[in-house]
Amino acid sequence: MMIWRSVVGKLWLTIILLVAFVLSILTILLLQFFEDFHVEKEAEQMERLANKVASVIERYDDRDQALDTAWEITDFYPTRVMIIKDEEVNEGRWYSPNAHGLPRISLDVIKGDSVLNKVFTDGETVVKQGNFETATEAAFSNELLVVGVPMQIDGEDHGAVFLYQSLDVIAKTTGQARNLIYIAAGIAIVLTTIFAFFLSTRITAPLLKMREAATQVAKGKFDTKVPMVTHDEIGELSIAFNRMGRQLNNYVTALNQEKEQLSSILSSMADGVITFDKTGAILSTNPPAERFLKAWYYEQGMDEQPGTDIPEDINELFRLVVMLEREQLTEVELQGRSWVVVMTPLYNQSSIRGAVAVFRDMTEERRLDKLRKDFIANVSHELRTPIAMLQGYSEAIVDDIASSDEEKKEVAQIIYDESLRMGRLVNELLDLARMEAGHNELHYSNVHLQDFGQRIVRKFSGLARDREVELKFHLSNSDRMLMIDPDRIEQVLTNLLDNAVRHTPNDGEVSLLITSLEKGVQFNVKDTGSGIPEDDLPFVFERFYKADKARTRGRSGTGLGLAIARNIVESHRGQISVHSKNGEGTVFSFFIPDQPDK
């Protein structure tokens, strides 16, 4: 059954049916033509023969000689002759002695036929074929061709000559012609079948190759070629198919290049980009947008599952964009960072198919504005106290207010302590300036992290006990080694642990977690303290910045520790960050990559 579903089978069947139909009509017409032609020719011949017999009967006076001559003339033809001298006289009728197997037809049958009777009534020559009842046997009937011509005897039209023969003779001749037509039709059908299959294969072979090539193109093999085997329309179709494959390959290559270019642009953008479908689900993001979502997941206490949830402010902005079909803008505060979000609808012809949101981190601009405003105040605040104390106690000595040696020593000690504090402040500023200028020299060594971490934790065990804070240490790989400047990293951890212990209430917990990763080591200092206000998170690594503006400056530090820590980590080609929830705790994290041998 598969052949009837193929182009070959359908084309072959169509040609065969068409040819068979034409041959059938032609056969019917030819058979009818030959049959009529043979009957007509036989009738003409019998008419000439009948006229000749009538002429013989009319010329000869001797009837017996005339009849003998007539019988001699008609014996060579498969006909029987009936001569009627006078239709009214029963004795004037003669039948040819050679019957050729034909029965006699009575005069009553002839006169009873309206056509044959015209020979007597109108003197016309008549021709008729059909079933005639014979005189010998009424029940006998036969298909006969009868020709009758009038005959004049003694100058009067009283007689007639009738010749008749069986139509079987004509049928035999027609049958031979029919057999020849059938043989010719059969030969034509066979030749047509061979031709149809040849034509079908010639047409379908290139089409099958095109189908295979189209299948390969559908699989992405755009360089597939179809050979051109003919120079007709199918050959032109092959050329067009190959041209289409080349154009499609060019288009796909261009689309891939544009896609890669767009992906590179999105990845290198400083602004975050998120695209949404028409339901609000996330389709794609770039690294800045992923950092935004990661911070939001941390704030919500959720696992990182991009694409499942987004901030409600963004959801509301998306609904406005879809409803109003125009660009919308909002601002989101998240983990101390300020994001300006611009969302624009995306169209699929006439309908909205989604939206694209651009997240611009405005924290740095606002931080710089704030730092520019606070810098002079912070420096003045840091220097005012020691300068004021130096000035006040110096005046006390000049004015001889401190009269006793003990009071003078106390005033001198205060002046000395404040000078040391100013010295530390200047040294830290110099160190920070040197680090930021890239002149920080590191002394690398391969450090065993287990011993390194335990030594730092022991340094703060006394302070932790005094404040009733539980101090924990955990290292994921006890055999891990890391190439660092141990003094500088210790300075970073000392600053972070000191801040964590001092800002953690009684019965709190401070943990130093060191995690070995594939390309470096992650250090986490985690506490359960008061946390850092969200507004202060972007500024904790800035110089002179302190979250608690009301606390005194003495032993609380200079506000440069975290700025120095950030520069030390960055000089190790690392990164430092902070996450905090107000009232729940803070996590300072920095990553130090594996360094090449120094």
Side-chain angles (χ1 to χ4, degrees):
M1 293 299 294
M2 292 299 294
I3 190 173
W4 305 118
R5 297 181 182 178
S6 64
V7 177
V8 175
K10 292 177 181 178
L11 186 59
W12 174 80
L13 183 61
T14 301
I15 295 175
I16 291 300
L17 290 177
L18 180 61
V19 172
F21 176 76
V22 172
L23 289 178
S24 300
I25 298 298
L26 183 60
T27 300
I28 294 173
L29 294 177
L30 287 175
L31 290 176
Q32 186 65 38
F33 169 76
F34 282 126
E35 185 175 355
D36 294 342
F37 176 77
H38 288 148
V39 170
E40 183 180 352
K41 291 300 181 181
E42 288 295 332
E44 291 177 357
Q45 185 176 0
M46 290 172 66
E47 183 179 348
R48 289 193 298 269
L49 186 59
N51 286 327
K52 187 180 294 186
V53 171
S55 174
V56 170
I57 297 298
E58 290 174 348
R59 288 199 309 268
Y60 285 90
D61 293 334
D62 187 353
R63 299 298 176 200
D64 293 335
Q65 185 179 3
L67 290 174
D68 290 338
T69 303
W71 305 147
E72 289 178 2
I73 293 173
T74 59
D75 276 345
F76 297 100
Y77 299 97
T79 60
R80 192 165 189 181
V81 184
M82 178 183 179
I83 302 174
I84 302 174
K85 180 181 179 183
D86 190 348
E87 60 176 320
E88 302 296 338
V89 181
N90 291 331
E91 289 77 10
R93 303 172 195 164
W94 297 279
Y95 291 91
S96 60
N98 191 355
H100 296 288
L102 297 172
R104 292 185 178 183
I105 300 177
S106 64
L107 181 60
D108 294 336
V109 173
I110 293 175
K111 294 183 70 175
D113 189 277
S114 59
V115 176
L116 298 180
N117 192 39
K118 289 181 179 181
V119 176
F120 301 108
T121 57
D122 300 333
E124 297 179 357
T125 299
V126 296
V127 178
K128 185 177 181 181
Q129 56 179 336
N131 284 321
F132 294 95
E133 196 174 303
T134 62
T136 57
E137 187 177 353
F140 177 79
S141 63
N142 195 9
E143 286 283 342
L144 301 175
L145 174 63
V146 181
V147 177
V149 297
M151 182 178 60
Q152 293 182 357
I153 299 176
D154 299 331
E156 297 181 359
D157 293 332
H158 295 291
V161 176
F162 289 94
L163 271 72
Y164 58 92
Q165 72 175 11
S166 176
L167 289 176
D168 291 340
V169 178
I170 301 175
K172 289 180 181 178
T173 305
T174 306
Q176 293 177 357
R178 182 186 297 110
N179 292 335
L180 292 175
I181 292 174
Y182 287 160
I183 292 173
I187 294 174
I189 291 293
V190 173
L191 294 178
T192 302
T193 301
I194 297 173
F195 169 76
F197 270 108
F198 174 75
L199 180 62
S200 301
T201 53
R202 289 282 294 176
I203 294 176
T204 57
L207 295 179
L208 292 175
K209 292 181 180 179
M210 288 184 192
R211 184 187 66 179
E212 296 175 359
T215 302
Q216 296 299 321
V217 170
K219 294 179 180 179
K221 299 178 180 179
F222 301 110
D223 56 346
T224 304
K225 303 295 181 183
V226 177
M228 188 183 70
V229 296
T230 60
H231 297 279
D232 52 9
E233 290 82 354
I234 296 179
E236 294 177 357
L237 181 61
S238 301
I239 296 174
F241 183 89
N242 293 334
R243 186 182 300 116
M244 179 195 69
R246 290 194 298 270
Q247 292 286 39
L248 188 59
N249 189 23
N250 293 335
Y251 292 150
V252 171
T253 302
L255 287 175
N256 288 333
Q257 290 176 351
E258 290 183 3
K259 182 179 178 181
E260 293 175 359
Q261 183 178 0
L262 180 60
S263 178
S264 300
I265 292 173
L266 289 176
S267 298
S268 60
M269 283 179 62
D271 295 339
V273 178
I274 300 179
T275 56
F276 303 89
D277 63 10
K278 61 182 179 180
T279 63
I282 295 177
L283 294 179
S284 62
T285 59
N286 66 342
E290 291 173 0
R291 289 195 293 271
F292 169 83
L293 293 175
K294 185 176 181 180
W296 184 72
Y297 291 137
Y298 176 83
E299 186 176 81
Q300 300 298 317
M302 299 186 304
D303 294 334
E304 297 181 14
Q305 297 177 349
T308 56
D309 293 295
I310 56 176
E312 182 59 31
D313 293 340
I314 309 301
N315 262 328
E316 182 63 28
L317 191 66
F318 176 79
R319 287 191 288 268
L320 286 175
V321 168
V322 173
M323 181 175 62
L324 301 178
E325 296 188 7
R326 63 172 180 263
E327 182 181 287
Q328 299 293 323
L329 183 143
T330 189
E331 187 170 343
V332 179
E333 296 289 337
L334 187 65
Q335 285 288 293
R337 305 194 73 82
S338 178
W339 301 81
V340 174
V341 184
V342 180
M343 189 175 295
T344 305
L346 297 176
Y347 291 93
N348 185 9
Q349 294 180 350
S350 60
S351 61
I352 290 182
R353 63 178 178 87
V356 58
V358 178
F359 294 74
R360 174 160 294 180
D361 189 355
M362 302 297 292
T363 307
E364 187 66 20
E365 287 81 355
R366 297 185 180 178
R367 182 184 65 82
L368 292 176
D369 290 339
K370 183 177 178 60
L371 290 177
R372 186 173 58 251
K373 296 176 182 178
D374 294 344
F375 180 74
I376 296 177
N378 289 334
V379 173
S380 300
H381 190 73
E382 288 294 333
L383 296 176
R384 182 177 56 187
T385 299
I387 291 175
M389 294 185 71
L390 287 174
Q391 181 180 358
Y393 284 104
S394 298
E395 290 178 354
I397 295 175
V398 172
D399 294 340
D400 202 19
I401 296 175
S403 57
S404 64
D405 293 338
E406 184 177 351
E407 289 176 349
K408 291 179 180 179
K409 288 182 180 180
E410 182 179 356
V411 170
Q413 184 64 41
I414 293 174
I415 293 174
Y416 177 72
D417 291 339
E418 291 302 324
S419 63
L420 289 178
R421 182 183 173 195
M422 290 185 65
R424 286 197 306 272
L425 177 60
V426 171
N427 289 332
E428 288 180 355
L429 281 172
L430 291 175
D431 289 341
L432 185 59
R434 187 167 53 252
M435 291 178 185
E436 291 179 347
H439 300 303
N440 184 28
E441 184 179 354
L442 299 179
H443 302 282
Y444 283 95
S445 63
N446 204 10
V447 176
H448 188 269
L449 293 180
Q450 178 74 23
D451 298 336
F452 180 73
Q454 288 177 349
R455 185 179 76 250
I456 294 175
V457 169
R458 283 195 299 269
K459 182 191 298 185
F460 288 92
S461 59
L463 179 62
R465 276 196 307 271
D466 293 341
R467 292 183 170 271
E468 298 180 4
V469 173
E470 183 179 1
L471 186 59
K472 293 183 177 180
F473 169 66
H474 175 72
L475 176 64
S476 62
N477 184 0
S478 59
D479 296 328
R480 187 68 157 88
M481 304 292 289
L482 184 64
M483 185 69 68
I484 56 174
D485 184 336
D487 293 335
R488 291 295 189 178
I489 298 300
E490 182 175 351
Q491 182 180 357
V492 174
L493 292 175
T494 299
N495 186 285
L496 297 179
L497 286 172
D498 182 72
N499 289 339
V501 172
R502 293 182 184 279
H503 291 87
T504 300
N506 295 345
D507 298 327
E509 182 179 300
V510 174
S511 302
L512 172 60
L513 308 174
I514 303 178
T515 305
S516 177
L517 302 178
E518 181 180 357
K519 296 183 178 181
V521 175
Q522 179 83 19
F523 294 83
N524 292 327
V525 176
K526 182 178 180 181
D527 66 63
T528 58
S530 57
I532 301 173
E534 185 174 341
D535 294 339
D536 294 322
L537 280 175
F539 311 104
V540 295
F541 293 107
E542 300 301 329
R543 63 185 72 182
F544 299 118
Y545 193 85
K546 293 184 180 181
D548 186 3
K549 306 297 188 301
R551 71 189 187 198
T552 59
R553 295 294 171 180
R555 299 179 179 271
S556 298
T558 61
L560 297 174
L562 291 178
I564 294 174
R566 181 183 65 180
N567 279 275
I568 292 174
V569 171
E570 291 177 351
S571 65
H572 282 77
R573 296 188 301 168
Q575 296 176 346
I576 188 169
S577 62
V578 59
H579 294 287
S580 180
K581 290 184 181 179
N582 201 11
E584 296 185 13
T586 304
V587 179
F588 280 92
S589 303
F590 64 93
F591 173 78
I592 302 297
D594 289 325
Q595 306 289 333
D597 293 338
K598 299 296 181 178

